Amino acid sequence: MKVLLFLAALPLAAQYDVVISGGRVMDPASGLNAVRHVGIRGGKIAAVSSTPLQGKVVLKAQGRVVAPGFIDLHAHGQTNEANEYQAHDGVTTALELEVGVPHVAEYLKARSGNSILNFGATAGHGAARAMAMRDVALPQAGAGNGVETMGYVNLTRYKELKEAEEFTKLAAGLERGMREGALGVGMAHQYYPGASREEIFKVFQMAARWKMPIFAHVRSMSVDAMQEVIADAAATGASLHIVHVNSMSLAALPLVLELIDAAHKRGMDITTEAYPYTAASTLLESTMFDEGWQQRLGIGYGELQWVKTGERLTKETFEKYRKETGQVIMHFMKAEWIDRAMASPFVMVASDGMPFAPGAHPRSAGTFSRVLGYYVRERKALGLMDAIAKMTIMPARRLEAIAPAMKNKGRIQVGADADITVFDAATVKDMATFESGLKFSAGIDHVVVNGVPVVQDGATVQGARPGKAVTGNFGSR
Ligand SMILES: [Zn+2]
């Protein structure tokens, strides 16, 4: 009897669904940087303990870093083919915020219950303006993601919105997107130069009214284009996130970073991001390659690489492939510009990963490992905790005011979503290259999304689809 009473008094070792054992937890939000055991139950972090824990599944992490799962604000890869490469790069949440999607509800429905990673999108200004135009034959419903938005854009890129009725329809279309769960407005007006300064200003007024952020690919690679959106944000009070500041600033990067920092210090809600590569990528048929592109970009045919074949272009192949349409890589940035962006304390890391294609820009598969391996370990351009912050808590905080789910992401804390990435700081490395195309990164051991491993011991967990929608709260205010 006494023995039974004694046993009953013993605390039963709580059983967790998953335990990540013995790794060095690095949590930028709290500053925790120590060996801990992480217990997961019901998709949430239930324990961060200095004593070992029991779990149905145990992911070994001795000698590894246990970080919040990486949040990519700029991911055009919105399929499971693309998600698998992103997962092997430590990403747990991949969002289409730059160009956005045409129909938010359909996009969310299409991915719900069938996504490896958490997902979400803005309402695409480029598509909404096309849908607001009179006498435009709209394209057939397509993939429902950013690729489809570019379909609308390519049809109307030089067209200007004129009529008041068109602006009313534009506002109604974007507002419907906000109600359906959009994470703000995706604006990429370099791809639709028909959008006047008045139109852009009006969209900023709308976003300010809705208290929803704008994610902007600015009008051109220039300081002027940066000043347009900063002025519109200042005048309207809209929140602004400037995408890929590296490729839109080029040699003017130091000045642009100073502009953004000064605007922020004056109280503006303004943020920015960069990807760690000296080449950009886009569609060869886009306006980027309209007449005069060599002068604007400061490059020639040889700096262009055709994704389908990997070949560098000539005048002949440029003209041929531009008719064919497709992805092209542009080698035109200097290494010191990227160093500067990576070292800047307020520039987040975001991939601008392309829709899945075997030869796509390596940023689609290696962005986060490249920062941790090449920029932190090899070039010492920034510290490990700072780098982790730029890909976890900073993007989470960028969105949490309008997307409640993000309050529980980007953190290794009890109660947070169990989105966790375990990697080896000594060997983590991007393996995807411009020459050989997409490859899984090295040194990423385990990736857990909402408590479910999607990468375990470096291998894909086949069939795991724990990704959930991240939606804006406009409709539920
Ligand atoms: Zn862009």
Side-chain angles (χ1 to χ4, degrees), residues 74 98 191 217 243-244 352:
H74 198 153
E98 178 204 41
Y191 292 116
H217 171 134
V243 304
H244 46 52
D352 196 0

mmCIF file with all atom_site columns, all heavy atoms in Angstrom, residues 74 98 191 217 243-244 352, ligand 1:
data_model
loop_
_atom_site.group_PDB
_atom_site.id
_atom_site.type_symbol
_atom_site.label_atom_id
_atom_site.label_alt_id
_atom_site.label_comp_id
_atom_site.label_asym_id
_atom_site.label_entity_id
_atom_site.label_seq_id
_atom_site.pdbx_PDB_ins_code
_atom_site.Cartn_x
_atom_site.Cartn_y
_atom_site.Cartn_z
_atom_site.occupancy
_atom_site.B_iso_or_equiv
_atom_site.pdbx_formal_charge
_atom_site.auth_seq_id
_atom_site.auth_comp_id
_atom_site.auth_asym_id
_atom_site.auth_atom_id
_atom_site.pdbx_PDB_model_num
ATOM   1  N  N   . HIS A 1 74  ? 8.529  36.618 -49.074 1.00 0.00 ? 74  HIS A N   1
ATOM   2  C  CA  . HIS A 1 74  ? 8.590  36.857 -50.516 1.00 0.00 ? 74  HIS A CA  1
ATOM   3  C  C   . HIS A 1 74  ? 8.821  35.558 -51.272 1.00 0.00 ? 74  HIS A C   1
ATOM   4  O  O   . HIS A 1 74  ? 9.909  35.304 -51.791 1.00 0.00 ? 74  HIS A O   1
ATOM   5  C  CB  . HIS A 1 74  ? 9.732  37.846 -50.804 1.00 0.00 ? 74  HIS A CB  1
ATOM   6  C  CG  . HIS A 1 74  ? 9.630  38.500 -52.156 1.00 0.00 ? 74  HIS A CG  1
ATOM   7  N  ND1 . HIS A 1 74  ? 10.149 39.731 -52.438 1.00 0.00 ? 74  HIS A ND1 1
ATOM   8  C  CD2 . HIS A 1 74  ? 9.099  38.042 -53.320 1.00 0.00 ? 74  HIS A CD2 1
ATOM   9  C  CE1 . HIS A 1 74  ? 9.923  40.023 -53.704 1.00 0.00 ? 74  HIS A CE1 1
ATOM   10 N  NE2 . HIS A 1 74  ? 9.309  39.025 -54.260 1.00 0.00 ? 74  HIS A NE2 1
ATOM   11 N  N   . GLU A 1 98  ? 4.425  40.029 -52.516 1.00 0.00 ? 98  GLU A N   1
ATOM   12 C  CA  . GLU A 1 98  ? 4.863  41.079 -53.457 1.00 0.00 ? 98  GLU A CA  1
ATOM   13 C  C   . GLU A 1 98  ? 3.833  41.291 -54.565 1.00 0.00 ? 98  GLU A C   1
ATOM   14 O  O   . GLU A 1 98  ? 3.216  42.351 -54.651 1.00 0.00 ? 98  GLU A O   1
ATOM   15 C  CB  . GLU A 1 98  ? 6.220  40.732 -54.065 1.00 0.00 ? 98  GLU A CB  1
ATOM   16 C  CG  . GLU A 1 98  ? 6.673  41.784 -55.076 1.00 0.00 ? 98  GLU A CG  1
ATOM   17 C  CD  . GLU A 1 98  ? 7.652  41.246 -56.095 1.00 0.00 ? 98  GLU A CD  1
ATOM   18 O  OE1 . GLU A 1 98  ? 7.462  40.103 -56.581 1.00 0.00 ? 98  GLU A OE1 1
ATOM   19 O  OE2 . GLU A 1 98  ? 8.617  41.967 -56.404 1.00 0.00 ? 98  GLU A OE2 1
ATOM   20 N  N   . TYR A 1 191 ? 6.169  46.436 -63.142 1.00 0.00 ? 191 TYR A N   1
ATOM   21 C  CA  . TYR A 1 191 ? 5.654  45.515 -64.162 1.00 0.00 ? 191 TYR A CA  1
ATOM   22 C  C   . TYR A 1 191 ? 4.416  46.070 -64.867 1.00 0.00 ? 191 TYR A C   1
ATOM   23 O  O   . TYR A 1 191 ? 3.950  45.497 -65.846 1.00 0.00 ? 191 TYR A O   1
ATOM   24 C  CB  . TYR A 1 191 ? 5.336  44.160 -63.526 1.00 0.00 ? 191 TYR A CB  1
ATOM   25 C  CG  . TYR A 1 191 ? 6.573  43.430 -63.063 1.00 0.00 ? 191 TYR A CG  1
ATOM   26 C  CD1 . TYR A 1 191 ? 6.787  43.156 -61.708 1.00 0.00 ? 191 TYR A CD1 1
ATOM   27 C  CD2 . TYR A 1 191 ? 7.535  43.017 -63.972 1.00 0.00 ? 191 TYR A CD2 1
ATOM   28 C  CE1 . TYR A 1 191 ? 7.926  42.505 -61.278 1.00 0.00 ? 191 TYR A CE1 1
ATOM   29 C  CE2 . TYR A 1 191 ? 8.685  42.360 -63.561 1.00 0.00 ? 191 TYR A CE2 1
ATOM   30 C  CZ  . TYR A 1 191 ? 8.879  42.107 -62.206 1.00 0.00 ? 191 TYR A CZ  1
ATOM   31 O  OH  . TYR A 1 191 ? 10.017 41.472 -61.792 1.00 0.00 ? 191 TYR A OH  1
ATOM   32 N  N   . HIS A 1 217 ? 7.146  46.379 -54.856 1.00 0.00 ? 217 HIS A N   1
ATOM   33 C  CA  . HIS A 1 217 ? 8.253  46.311 -55.820 1.00 0.00 ? 217 HIS A CA  1
ATOM   34 C  C   . HIS A 1 217 ? 8.144  47.628 -56.556 1.00 0.00 ? 217 HIS A C   1
ATOM   35 O  O   . HIS A 1 217 ? 7.204  47.841 -57.310 1.00 0.00 ? 217 HIS A O   1
ATOM   36 C  CB  . HIS A 1 217 ? 8.041  45.128 -56.765 1.00 0.00 ? 217 HIS A CB  1
ATOM   37 C  CG  . HIS A 1 217 ? 8.994  45.064 -57.923 1.00 0.00 ? 217 HIS A CG  1
ATOM   38 N  ND1 . HIS A 1 217 ? 9.631  43.920 -58.303 1.00 0.00 ? 217 HIS A ND1 1
ATOM   39 C  CD2 . HIS A 1 217 ? 9.411  46.003 -58.811 1.00 0.00 ? 217 HIS A CD2 1
ATOM   40 C  CE1 . HIS A 1 217 ? 10.403 44.158 -59.353 1.00 0.00 ? 217 HIS A CE1 1
ATOM   41 N  NE2 . HIS A 1 217 ? 10.285 45.426 -59.665 1.00 0.00 ? 217 HIS A NE2 1
ATOM   42 N  N   . VAL A 1 243 ? 10.190 45.624 -51.029 1.00 0.00 ? 243 VAL A N   1
ATOM   43 C  CA  . VAL A 1 243 ? 10.788 44.317 -51.284 1.00 0.00 ? 243 VAL A CA  1
ATOM   44 C  C   . VAL A 1 243 ? 12.139 44.449 -51.995 1.00 0.00 ? 243 VAL A C   1
ATOM   45 O  O   . VAL A 1 243 ? 12.430 45.475 -52.621 1.00 0.00 ? 243 VAL A O   1
ATOM   46 C  CB  . VAL A 1 243 ? 9.834  43.422 -52.100 1.00 0.00 ? 243 VAL A CB  1
ATOM   47 C  CG1 . VAL A 1 243 ? 8.485  43.284 -51.388 1.00 0.00 ? 243 VAL A CG1 1
ATOM   48 C  CG2 . VAL A 1 243 ? 9.666  43.901 -53.530 1.00 0.00 ? 243 VAL A CG2 1
ATOM   49 N  N   . HIS A 1 244 ? 12.934 43.403 -51.920 1.00 0.00 ? 244 HIS A N   1
ATOM   50 C  CA  . HIS A 1 244 ? 14.283 43.276 -52.491 1.00 0.00 ? 244 HIS A CA  1
ATOM   51 C  C   . HIS A 1 244 ? 14.959 44.625 -52.696 1.00 0.00 ? 244 HIS A C   1
ATOM   52 O  O   . HIS A 1 244 ? 15.194 45.068 -53.840 1.00 0.00 ? 244 HIS A O   1
ATOM   53 C  CB  . HIS A 1 244 ? 14.326 42.418 -53.744 1.00 0.00 ? 244 HIS A CB  1
ATOM   54 C  CG  . HIS A 1 244 ? 13.277 42.680 -54.792 1.00 0.00 ? 244 HIS A CG  1
ATOM   55 N  ND1 . HIS A 1 244 ? 13.022 43.930 -55.304 1.00 0.00 ? 244 HIS A ND1 1
ATOM   56 C  CD2 . HIS A 1 244 ? 12.421 41.852 -55.421 1.00 0.00 ? 244 HIS A CD2 1
ATOM   57 C  CE1 . HIS A 1 244 ? 12.075 43.839 -56.209 1.00 0.00 ? 244 HIS A CE1 1
ATOM   58 N  NE2 . HIS A 1 244 ? 11.677 42.595 -56.312 1.00 0.00 ? 244 HIS A NE2 1
ATOM   59 N  N   . ASP A 1 352 ? 12.453 35.972 -52.466 1.00 0.00 ? 352 ASP A N   1
ATOM   60 C  CA  . ASP A 1 352 ? 11.974 36.252 -53.820 1.00 0.00 ? 352 ASP A CA  1
ATOM   61 C  C   . ASP A 1 352 ? 12.083 34.982 -54.664 1.00 0.00 ? 352 ASP A C   1
ATOM   62 O  O   . ASP A 1 352 ? 12.359 35.022 -55.864 1.00 0.00 ? 352 ASP A O   1
ATOM   63 C  CB  . ASP A 1 352 ? 12.730 37.412 -54.468 1.00 0.00 ? 352 ASP A CB  1
ATOM   64 C  CG  . ASP A 1 352 ? 11.994 37.951 -55.706 1.00 0.00 ? 352 ASP A CG  1
ATOM   65 O  OD1 . ASP A 1 352 ? 10.913 37.409 -56.032 1.00 0.00 ? 352 ASP A OD1 1
ATOM   66 O  OD2 . ASP A 1 352 ? 12.506 38.885 -56.347 1.00 0.00 ? 352 ASP A OD2 1
HETATM 67 ZN ZN  . ZN  B 2 .   ? 10.053 41.844 -57.415 1.00 0.00 ? 1   ZN  B ZN  1
#
